[in-house]
Amino acid sequence: MSTNKNEKAPLGVWGVNEYGYYGEFGGAFIPEMLYPNVKELQDRYLSIIREDDFKKEFEHLLKDYAGRPTPLFLAERLSEKYGANIYLKREDLCHTGAHKINNTIGQILLAQRLRKKRIIAETGAGQHGVATATVCALKGLACIVYMGEKDMERQAPNVARMKMLGAKVIPVISGSKTLKDATNEAIRDWINHPADTYYIIGSVVGPHPYPDMVARFQSIISEEIRKQLKEKTGKELPDYVFACVGGGSNAAGAFYHFLDETSVKLVAVEAAGQGIESGFSAATTQLGTTGILHGSKSLVMQTADGQVVEPHSISAGLDYPGIGPMHAHLYNSGRGIFLSATDTEAVEAAKELASLEGIIPALEPAHALFALRKLQFKKSDIVVVNLSGRGDKDLDTYMKFI
Amino acid sequence: MNRINKLFSEKNKNILNVYYTAGFPDLESTTVVLNALQKHGADMVEIGMPYSDPLADGPVIQQSSMIALENGMTIQILFEQLKDCRKNFHLPLLLMGYLNPVMQFGIERFCKMANEVGVDGIILPDLPVYEFENEYKKYFEQNDLHFIFLITPETSEERIKKIDRLSTGFIYAVSSSSTTGNNKEFDEQEKYFSRIKQMNLKNPVLIGFGIKDKQTFDIACKYGNGAIIGSAYINALNGSADIKKTTQQFLESILR
Ligand SMILES: Cc1ncc(COP(=O)(O)O)c(C=O)c1O
């Protein structure tokens, strides 16, 4: 393929093929109205992100603006409790408080090179909206963020941040008024503004090439983990990598450079909400079947008639009825281990991390932290948990449990 | 002969194709609307199969779809409602919807049942050309169903030619780059319409999206073989006490 140094870890059979598929999942199921925009992206994204000038600016902004590399921290008291060597990948220390900025920096640079003037995005927890508003301010581009009305309430601090950054936040009142519907509205906006608008998707979802593109921008996470582990332990490969999965972007980034290393167990943790069988859950692999959502074929939570159902999670960032096609493939093939944690379990794990390590995680990665209890480790195991974001935005929710 | 081809062989101007959502305003409205449209002058009818996440639709059709789903509409029920429709209904009939519900129903079974109840064509805006050619085409062909493709002002000439080659019924020219029911200025689109007209495509062209009254219908008919009306008719049905009368008044206002 290419000689790009970011691609030194071969994805083997886990990468996307030329038609945008991961196994049976993926593709670009889009109406003709979006064809020219999506086709332009498909034709140009790889060549643009391989340009020296792009790579230079991307690396520069990741380092001096976003604050990378993020630390890999050996959490000693957590390690003692769970009987393994547990490392936290501190994406919570990124500028704006989550891994989402890695992707928005990449996509804004791409949008600039495609000469787009108007940026749109969807957001659930507001982290992606904030990360998009941030890079738009940095580059002086107009920014419109679609956010479910319900999410605007439960993630109010992020709404305020987006406004301060100059973005226009449009409340979405259709459907379940959460992330799924915000994504629908963003796609409709794109249909209505085909010439000047670029859509910055916030996860590894959407039509090809978005899942692959977002995974590449997030792959910096596992690239750093490999390097940092080598420095700290002499070994590049952990035994386990844990990450939460909403759409799956932080998990894709944390797994990326380990996908073809079969000794590394990749653990994806979904939101079980009030319990998988409760009717209030967002555990897509447990509850979903193959379907089309937001332009790609993947696992989707739906009725037998193919109507998408409303998911539930305490965490707005995991409250999504699908997962990216790459993860559907990891699940179906058995390459990924898919676990889940409920609302209250996530809160419990967040409280535990705060008291053992002095770190307040976001609700989303708190799900991944809880899943540490579900596997048996050997004392010598190296376990990396991707701490995808910080908990500031969730304090209101946490206060209800303290 | 498929009723779509038969219609265009007999009439190739001022074709009025009307869209409505199955199960709206009430679950049992489907065939009432269908027969009223035939009686009052529609040339062709397009029945929308409601979906929870209709990406290509504006607020009006989103709303009618949501109400239809709340009413309990499903593809299975729609086929039951349409089972005997061909006793009275003789116009070309299309089903329009999104791929996911059709996929869950089973594409093969869907095409077979559509053909059995007398459907002539299918529109699924999120089934793209690549997937159509690769996997789906055969099921439509085996069941004498025309698959209708969309083109937009942004579609390249080369791609329009390709779509023309693949199409067998007609081409659905979306009037402007938008979701359904938009109010974008119509006159600006005339350059695009005449560009398509000058391409002399082998398939007839119907223009849709944003056609809402006699004036916009007439402009569309100047360039295409006819037009498709959706959101404006749904708006008329919304809150109507008498579907037949509303339909009569609506069609008269377009065709007068
Ligand atoms: C901190 C954090 N982690 C995880 C997610 C879930 O997204 P993804 O699965 O794409 O990483 C979000 C989404 O908002 C988030 O804010």
Side-chain angles (χ1 to χ4, degrees):
Chain A
M1 252 176 72
S2 137
T3 53
N4 186 323
K5 72 177 169 69
N6 288 333
E7 289 173 50
K8 64 178 177 257
L11 296 193
V13 297
W14 309 109
V16 78
N17 74 15
E18 65 180 300
Y19 303 105
Y21 276 85
Y22 301 85
E24 63 174 290
F25 301 111
F29 293 84
I30 45 161
E32 186 64 27
M33 291 80 106
L34 289 178
Y35 180 82
N37 273 321
V38 170
K39 177 84 170 113
E40 180 184 35
L41 270 183
Q42 289 174 353
D43 290 346
R44 298 192 54 195
Y45 83 109
L46 284 178
S47 62
I48 290 177
I49 67 181
R50 283 171 181 156
E51 282 166 11
D52 284 339
D53 145 75
F54 181 97
K55 285 193 286 191
K56 225 169 108 189
E57 197 175 355
F58 186 49
E59 280 164 23
H60 157 67
L61 288 175
L62 286 182
K63 176 166 177 278
D64 294 337
Y65 189 66
R68 305 203 70 90
T70 57
L72 186 71
F73 176 64
L74 175 61
E76 290 185 12
R77 298 182 67 198
L78 202 65
S79 296
E80 193 172 325
K81 178 144 190 199
Y82 293 105
N85 303 289
I86 301 178
Y87 287 85
L88 303 176
K89 180 58 173 164
R90 299 290 310 274
E91 293 301 297
D92 60 315
L93 294 177
C94 284
H95 179 40
T96 70
H99 68 291
K100 299 282 180 186
I101 191 91
N102 304 328
N103 170 43
T104 60
I105 290 174
Q107 289 202 54
I108 201 81
L109 297 180
L110 191 72
Q112 272 190 317
R113 282 155 180 80
L114 296 171
R115 304 198 188 296
K116 302 290 183 178
K117 297 273 173 279
R118 182 176 172 274
I119 303 297
I120 56 172
E122 86 296 336
T123 197
Q127 287 302 123
H128 175 60
V130 168
T132 304
T134 297
V135 296
C136 287
L138 180 70
K139 292 295 182 183
L141 295 174
C143 179
I144 292 117
V145 180
Y146 290 90
M147 187 169 188
E149 204 173 47
K150 185 171 148 197
D151 290 339
M152 287 180 73
E153 277 166 33
R154 58 179 167 169
Q155 309 277 222
N158 276 342
V159 177
R161 293 164 82 198
M162 284 184 270
K163 287 184 178 163
M164 177 138 182
L165 290 161
K168 188 168 165 200
V169 184
I170 302 187
V172 173
I173 52 166
S174 56
S176 56
K177 306 182 175 65
T178 59
L179 182 54
K180 159 180 92 83
D181 306 281
T183 308
N184 287 341
E185 283 310 315
I187 293 175
R188 289 184 185 117
D189 179 307
W190 207 21
I191 288 175
N192 281 290
H193 300 90
D196 63 341
T197 297
Y198 181 90
Y199 178 21
I200 300 191
I201 284 189
S203 193
V204 285
V205 300
H208 175 63
Y210 278 107
D212 182 53
M213 179 167 73
V214 176
R216 281 169 191 265
F217 291 147
Q218 292 293 0
S219 70
I220 184 71
I221 299 173
S222 48
E223 192 182 315
E224 289 176 4
I225 293 173
R226 274 186 92 121
K227 234 185 263 158
Q228 292 166 322
L229 266 187
K230 175 100 197 211
E231 283 165 19
K232 289 181 199 306
T233 69
K235 286 188 4 187
E236 261 183 80
L237 301 181
D239 297 290
Y240 294 87
V241 180
F242 279 69
C244 65
V245 178
S249 68
N250 87 87
F255 295 169
Y256 198 89
H257 290 277
F258 303 117
L259 283 167
D260 216 29
E261 306 279 6
T262 45
S263 71
V264 182
K265 297 178 198 69
L266 306 175
V267 184
V269 185
E270 297 180 298
Q274 297 175 13
I276 290 185
E277 305 297 339
S278 67
F280 296 91
S281 178
T284 303
T285 59
Q286 305 307 305
L287 298 167
T289 50
T290 300
I292 309 283
L293 180 65
H294 298 142
S296 67
K297 187 191 279 188
S298 189
L299 293 170
V300 180
M301 289 170 56
Q302 55 184 325
T303 66
D305 300 318
Q307 308 298 339
V308 183
V309 302
E310 294 179 20
H312 166 87
S313 168
I314 192 169
S315 129
L318 304 183
D319 204 353
Y320 186 69
I323 48 168
M326 178 210 240
H327 293 294
H329 184 45
L330 294 179
Y331 175 74
N332 256 20
S333 62
R335 175 69 185 94
I337 300 169
F338 281 71
L339 303 176
S340 65
T342 65
D343 292 349
T344 49
E345 289 171 344
V347 172
E348 194 184 320
K351 279 161 60 176
E352 179 181 82
L353 190 72
S355 68
L356 287 183
E357 302 289 347
I359 298 170
I360 301 175
L363 273 165
E364 291 81 9
H367 288 73
L369 288 164
F370 186 85
L372 287 171
R373 305 176 191 201
K374 300 199 171 186
L375 295 180
Q376 278 295 333
F377 302 117
K378 293 198 300 282
K379 203 117 195 91
S380 59
D381 279 345
I382 295 176
V383 178
V384 176
V385 181
N386 194 38
L387 202 62
S388 58
R390 68 177 86 125
D392 308 25
K393 70 183 176 58
D394 298 313
L395 280 179
D396 268 359
T397 309
Y398 288 147
M399 290 320 281
K400 290 180 194 142
F401 292 87
I402 290 175
Chain B
M1 190 183 204
N2 183 296
R3 291 176 200 89
I4 295 173
N5 304 111
K6 185 156 177 294
L7 170 67
F8 284 109
S9 72
E10 288 162 1
K11 176 176 176 181
N12 67 0
K13 275 204 322 236
N14 303 329
I15 302 262
L16 174 59
N17 179 356
V18 182
Y19 165 97
Y20 71 98
T21 306
F24 174 84
D26 298 304
L27 184 61
E28 300 304 330
S29 307
T30 311
T31 50
V32 182
V33 176
L34 189 68
N35 291 314
L37 286 169
Q38 170 174 266
K39 181 161 177 209
H40 298 293
D43 296 301
M44 195 186 293
V45 176
E46 202 177 298
I47 303 183
M49 302 175 283
Y51 177 47
S52 55
D53 295 78
L55 283 183
D57 286 302
V60 173
I61 293 178
Q62 286 173 43
Q63 185 75 15
S64 64
S65 302
M66 223 167 81
I67 292 171
L69 290 175
E70 278 163 17
N71 290 341
M73 183 45 76
T74 63
I75 292 177
Q76 180 71 43
I77 292 177
L78 177 60
F79 282 139
E80 280 159 26
Q81 291 177 339
L82 295 179
K83 203 170 65 203
D84 299 318
C85 77
R86 282 299 176 192
K87 286 187 183 143
N88 314 306
F89 183 78
H90 312 293
L91 305 177
L93 181 62
L94 297 135
L95 296 183
M96 165 156 186
Y98 290 81
L99 183 57
N100 194 48
V102 171
M103 226 172 100
Q104 305 312 319
F105 193 82
I107 180 70
E108 211 167 342
R109 176 167 160 241
F110 174 81
C111 289
K112 194 162 160 284
M113 288 183 75
N115 173 273
E116 278 167 16
V117 302
V119 170
D120 306 289
I122 306 291
I123 307 178
L124 300 170
D126 61 345
L127 175 57
V129 172
Y130 168 75
E131 302 289 343
F132 171 79
E133 286 192 279
N134 234 9
E135 191 177 338
Y136 290 85
K137 186 167 174 239
K138 54 179 182 284
Y139 302 114
F140 297 111
E141 280 177 0
Q142 282 160 12
N143 291 288
D144 191 24
L145 295 166
H146 291 311
F147 188 76
I148 310 298
F149 290 98
L150 274 55
I151 60 174
T152 83
E154 312 290 326
T155 310
S156 69
E157 194 156 313
E158 189 192 332
R159 189 163 166 86
I160 294 177
K161 284 183 185 150
K162 172 170 185 162
I163 286 173
D164 191 37
R165 279 196 301 276
L166 278 177
S167 298
T168 43
F170 63 89
I171 289 175
Y172 189 147
V174 172
S175 68
S176 61
S177 302
S178 71
T179 44
T180 55
N182 76 84
N183 281 315
K184 287 195 183 174
E185 259 332 304
F186 218 75
D187 343 326
E188 286 174 28
Q189 310 306 332
E190 296 203 31
K191 241 185 27 226
Y192 149 66
F193 297 152
S194 63
R195 178 163 65 89
I196 294 168
K197 191 173 170 129
Q198 278 158 16
M199 285 182 72
N200 282 318
L201 301 174
K202 87 174 161 60
N203 289 280
V205 174
L206 297 184
I207 295 174
F209 284 37
I211 316 288
K212 55 178 185 286
D213 51 20
K214 180 164 176 58
Q215 189 205 348
T216 45
F217 179 70
D218 288 347
I219 297 174
C221 290
K222 201 165 107 196
Y223 296 99
N225 303 78
I228 305 167
I229 300 188
S231 298
Y233 179 55
I234 299 285
N235 267 334
L237 284 180
N238 202 359
S240 153
D242 183 343
I243 288 175
K244 292 178 191 164
K245 202 157 139 208
T246 301
T247 302
Q248 178 175 7
Q249 284 167 351
F250 184 83
L251 291 189
E252 276 173 2
S253 76
I254 305 284
L255 296 171
R256 86 185 118 91

